Amino acid sequence: MYGNAYIDPNEKMPSFLEGEDLQKLEEFEARITGGDKIEPMDWMPREYRKQLIRMIEQHAHSEVIGALPEGTWITRAPGFRRKLSLMAKVQDEMGHAQLLYSAAETLGKSREAMIDDLLTGKSKYSNVFNYPAVTWADTAVIAWLIDAGAIVNQVANSKGSYGPYCRALERICSEESFHLKYGHDVVVHLATGTKTQRQMVQEALTRWWPPIMHFFGPSDKESVHGAILMKWKVKMASNDDMRNQFLNMYVPKIWDLGLVLPDPAFKKNETTGKWEYTEPDWDEFKRVINGDGPCNKERLAVRKWAETEGSWVRRALNTKESAYVVPLA
Ligand code: FAQ
């Protein structure tokens, strides 16, 4: 009998736990229930390790690819102040990837293997970064609302069970909150600006809203990994709960600016406390996360170019020869 673990003790043990030491599994789950952090050298079931690698790796790739839509606007940002802020933000995102790759490495997968899996399309990254940033206003919507969505997810999950991931998330969240403030500032500037600026930010919101709704993952009944990840406190709330929390915090702010959501069905059910909306287009979501979105090919091509063109830097750093060292006179 598989004690108190995994959903229903009367159910057959799930196949992914077959062969595990049940005594250790129960101790592991008791630690998690008691609020302990699991550290890299601690015993953990194979599935916990596998799920964490999958999730943290996808998160790291999202930061790397996520730098691209905004990164292309650094040279075109309106004014020196905006340019500096955007450059700092993009640099932060790459730093987040470094923190996350390091956290995933503690679980036994090398950074090289993770990058290979990104470049070959084996690993996923967030759906949202497969859409183009058409105008300057798109970068504002990304910095405000996608960073806000990321914060909702990450603040919750930073209270989770795996020590290295939680510590990385805490640091990331404090930087993301600057990004959110910067994004909000640009959105407010555009929304209270000229008619053209207002139209630009409205169009960007209309473009980004469907991917933002997808950002939190499929609905709970379609989520594949949600149950076990919540059981093991890797995810601290379900996809629908995170989405609802985001809507609660940001829909009123969007409406306050006089902006319109591209879904007329949007309203809060005051009895349930949940938002009601037209069901997002999950077929589009699946197409995008499986490689067939508007920018998937372009994004991976840029990463492959960076990998190839940057290989000399890695070689130079790793070499023991002095060939790459410029001799001092
Ligand atoms: N995009 O069973 P579930 C950021 C996949 S960081 C792509 O519900 P799970 C910062 C999922 O992998 C953004 N794929 O999955 C920034 C699975 O496929 P698989 C990234 C998605 O893991 C801001 C399948 O669907 N944040 O934005 C997505 O329980 C601005 C079934 O789904 C994180 O990664 C999606 N949105 O829940 C940077 C946070 N949703 O692997 C630059 C950590 C689902 O079986 C600029 N991750 N899928 O082939 C998580 O919290 C979770 O992994 C979820 C998905 C909630 C994303």
Side-chain angles (χ1 to χ4, degrees):
M1 168 69 78
Y2 173 42
N4 67 350
Y6 194 68
I7 306 173
D8 181 353
N10 301 316
E11 267 184 20
K12 189 171 166 283
M13 189 167 68
S15 59
F16 59 71
L17 290 177
E18 269 166 26
E20 290 292 2
D21 180 327
L22 294 190
Q23 177 69 36
K24 287 189 172 150
L25 185 57
E26 291 210 5
E27 285 163 14
F28 165 83
E29 292 195 337
R31 285 187 64 194
I32 290 184
T33 309
D36 262 12
K37 293 277 185 241
I38 306 298
E39 297 298 337
M41 303 310 283
D42 294 348
W43 186 91
M44 60 184 84
R46 286 184 303 274
E47 182 67 14
Y48 180 80
R49 186 183 299 276
K50 190 174 134 200
Q51 285 284 356
L52 275 168
I53 293 175
R54 179 191 67 81
M55 206 174 110
I56 304 174
E57 179 181 351
Q58 284 181 10
H59 191 169
H61 297 332
S62 304
E63 303 279 356
V64 171
I65 302 285
L68 298 178
E70 290 170 287
T72 56
W73 276 92
I74 291 174
T75 54
R76 294 171 286 169
F80 189 59
R81 196 167 138 251
R82 293 295 192 212
K83 223 182 269 294
L84 276 182
S85 310
L86 183 58
M87 228 158 32
K89 176 183 190 312
V90 168
Q91 187 175 316
D92 281 355
E93 308 298 1
M94 299 309 286
H96 298 170
Q98 299 285 359
L99 288 171
L100 291 162
Y101 283 128
S102 299
E105 278 179 317
T106 64
L107 292 151
K109 183 165 180 179
S110 73
R111 190 171 298 220
E112 290 74 17
M114 289 187 261
I115 303 282
D116 276 355
D117 286 350
L118 167 67
L119 297 181
T120 58
K122 193 170 163 206
S123 282
K124 292 190 168 65
Y125 57 86
S126 184
N127 69 301
V128 281
F129 302 121
N130 289 308
Y131 291 84
V134 180
T135 70
W136 168 246
D138 293 55
T139 68
V141 171
I142 295 172
W144 185 31
L145 294 178
I146 295 186
D147 277 88
I151 290 174
V152 166
N153 170 294
Q154 291 162 191
V155 166
N157 291 348
S158 71
K159 312 281 185 304
S161 63
Y162 188 58
Y165 187 41
C166 296
R167 291 189 285 273
L169 288 181
E170 270 177 29
R171 172 142 174 217
I172 290 171
C173 284
S174 59
E175 292 185 357
E176 301 281 34
S177 55
F178 279 105
H179 302 170
L180 183 151
K181 286 194 172 74
Y182 151 78
H184 187 238
D185 187 60
V186 184
V187 168
V188 170
H189 184 84
L190 294 173
T192 56
T194 64
K195 196 167 161 241
T196 310
Q197 285 174 316
R198 221 182 146 66
Q199 186 181 341
M200 203 163 84
V201 74
Q202 176 61 62
E203 285 171 4
L205 177 68
T206 304
R207 268 193 293 281
W208 282 86
W209 192 251
I212 288 172
M213 290 296 284
H214 290 151
F215 178 80
F216 300 89
S219 66
D220 291 353
K221 54 184 188 304
E222 299 293 328
S223 172
V224 181
H225 310 288
I228 191 65
L229 288 177
M230 282 193 288
K231 164 99 189 149
W232 284 338
K233 294 194 185 169
V234 175
K235 272 167 83 165
M236 298 300 279
S238 75
N239 298 355
D240 282 336
D241 285 348
M242 296 260 190
R243 193 168 10 250
N244 195 63
Q245 198 186 325
F246 166 80
L247 296 174
N248 248 340
M249 291 169 77
Y250 290 94
V251 171
K253 292 185 170 63
I254 292 170
W255 283 344
D256 276 353
L257 288 170
L259 297 170
V260 179
L261 294 175
D263 177 3
F266 235 91
K267 71 169 192 318
K268 186 168 180 183
N269 181 327
E270 294 298 344
T271 317
T272 61
K274 307 262 183 213
W275 285 84
E276 294 172 352
Y277 41 79
T278 311
E279 195 58 27
D281 181 348
W282 294 114
D283 289 338
E284 173 178 336
F285 170 74
K286 282 184 198 141
R287 268 198 315 278
V288 171
I289 67 171
N290 287 311
D292 192 19
C295 295
N296 298 56
K297 289 191 182 62
E298 180 187 324
R299 299 283 186 247
L300 282 187
V302 173
R303 277 320 305 166
K304 280 181 192 152
W305 176 87
E307 188 68 13
T308 312
E309 295 300 310
S311 64
W312 71 269
V313 178
R314 289 189 298 281
R315 272 202 316 279
L317 285 170
N318 286 332
T319 189
K320 291 199 178 66
E321 307 297 324
S322 56
Y324 293 97
V325 179
V326 181
L328 295 172

